[in-house]
Amino acid sequence: MTPLQPPKGRYVTVSIHDVSPHTFSIVQEMIARLEKLGARNFSLLVIPNHHNLGHFLDDPEFCHWLQERTSLGDEVVIHGYYHLRHPHPGESLRDKITTRFYTAGEGEFFDIVGADAMRLLIQAREEFRMLGINPLGFIAPAWLLSTGAEAAMRKLGLLYTTRLKTVCHLPGGEVHKSQSLVWSARSFWRRLVSRVWNAMLARRLRHNPLMRIGIHPIDFRYRGLWRQIETLTSRALTDRTPITYAGWVTAATAPAPEPAHAFQS
């Protein structure tokens, strides 16, 4: 695994997960609150047909909003297609724990075969392109990504993907270690543990060139979680530049400038 050399400077990526017409109103309010703190250049993880509740192209207001947000500097990231995985017969105990307990049946790309991943990726990318939006990255629901799906992304020429603990430049395979802050809101004990864990993780990552803050719409419903999200985001913005994942990976993989003497005769 080749390390991905970070660009000079300190950065923070604020990613909003599970963006769709189904979560539209909450996401708008979240972004408005975060912008008051100085956040910008969000990575918007958009689900084309969230739980089969309706395709994003069937919602003109949502489509216009995506176009507006990208014009402001945000990026659209493909985030699965349905964000839904049905139980498979004969699953191992490990797979059941991963797909049902860890992610509540949403690990769509956890064990998907390459051909199916390719079909969904092509479909999603073409649908976003109908709006004039060209996603450069894919992030699997719950960061659960099969090897076949990763291979499909490389074949399609996508720029990057992320997992919970890493950011990967797909064309070259280089990886940068940076664990994302992320909250679990499904129960009281999960919310409590999340707050303790993220406070410790933020301190541990304070010297990392890239801080990743991953936020879900459900986080906004719980005052304690949202207060911590705002606090850690505000703290990160005091000495970090907000940047999208695509922007950071592009900067990290840009050719080094020629030394000044190379242009001297």
Side-chain angles (χ1 to χ4, degrees):
M1 185 182 295
T2 305
L4 177 60
Q5 295 300 318
K8 291 182 179 180
R10 289 168 56 78
Y11 297 92
V12 57
T13 294
V14 179
S15 59
I16 311 294
H17 294 229
D18 301 352
V19 178
S20 73
H22 183 56
T23 60
F24 186 25
S25 60
I26 295 175
V27 168
Q28 286 180 298
E29 191 169 354
M30 291 166 61
I31 288 177
R33 293 276 293 269
L34 293 167
E35 284 180 326
K36 290 181 180 179
L37 303 176
R40 64 184 188 280
N41 299 334
F42 298 96
S43 289
L44 304 176
L45 279 58
V46 183
I47 307 167
N49 191 350
H50 196 170
H51 288 188
N52 271 311
L53 293 172
H55 199 282
F56 78 92
L57 286 176
D58 295 330
D59 190 322
E61 183 183 1
F62 180 78
C63 290
H64 177 73
W65 177 80
L66 284 181
Q67 292 169 320
E68 183 180 64
R69 292 305 313 181
T70 56
S71 72
L72 293 172
D74 296 351
E75 70 159 331
V76 165
V77 185
I78 304 172
H79 189 44
Y81 195 88
Y82 299 102
H83 207 282
L84 192 63
R85 178 188 181 274
H86 298 292
H88 296 179
E91 288 181 324
S92 67
L93 177 60
R94 177 179 175 274
D95 287 355
K96 288 179 180 178
I97 291 172
T98 301
T99 60
R100 302 181 198 182
F101 176 75
Y102 170 64
T103 189
E106 295 187 322
E108 180 182 11
F109 279 69
F110 169 64
D111 52 2
I112 193 170
V113 298
D116 289 342
M118 178 73 77
R119 174 178 54 82
L120 292 175
L121 287 166
I122 291 174
Q123 186 173 341
R125 186 169 67 174
E126 290 307 309
E127 289 165 349
F128 285 117
R129 285 177 172 176
M130 291 172 66
L131 301 180
I133 295 171
N134 186 36
L136 298 178
F138 173 88
I139 297 176
W143 293 291
L144 298 175
L145 183 66
S146 72
T147 55
E150 185 169 343
M153 287 189 286
R154 285 197 168 94
K155 288 180 182 177
L156 283 177
L158 291 179
L159 177 67
Y160 75 89
T161 188
T162 74
R163 289 183 168 85
L164 176 62
K165 297 182 180 182
T166 58
V167 178
C168 176
H169 174 237
L170 289 167
E174 307 98 324
V175 171
H176 177 69
K177 293 181 179 180
S178 177
Q179 183 160 349
S180 180
L181 276 65
V182 63
W183 289 259
S184 181
R186 296 204 315 265
S187 65
F188 173 79
W189 74 265
R190 283 173 177 266
R191 294 192 293 274
L192 179 62
V193 171
S194 286
R195 290 168 62 186
V196 175
W197 168 252
N198 282 295
M200 293 189 300
L201 183 61
R203 287 195 294 270
R204 180 163 66 85
L205 296 175
R206 64 186 180 275
H207 298 303
N208 197 301
L210 176 66
M211 175 75 76
R212 301 168 58 200
I213 302 177
I215 310 170
H216 291 78
I218 194 174
D219 299 336
F220 194 62
R221 301 178 185 175
Y222 298 99
R223 184 177 301 176
L225 291 189
W226 186 253
R227 186 184 302 119
Q228 185 182 55
I229 288 168
E230 288 190 319
T231 297
L232 294 179
T233 301
S234 180
R235 190 175 298 162
L237 289 167
T238 59
D239 64 348
R240 294 178 182 271
T241 300
I243 195 170
T244 63
Y245 279 126
W248 191 87
V249 174
T250 298
T253 55
E258 292 286 342
H261 63 77
F263 301 99
Q264 297 174 358
S265 56

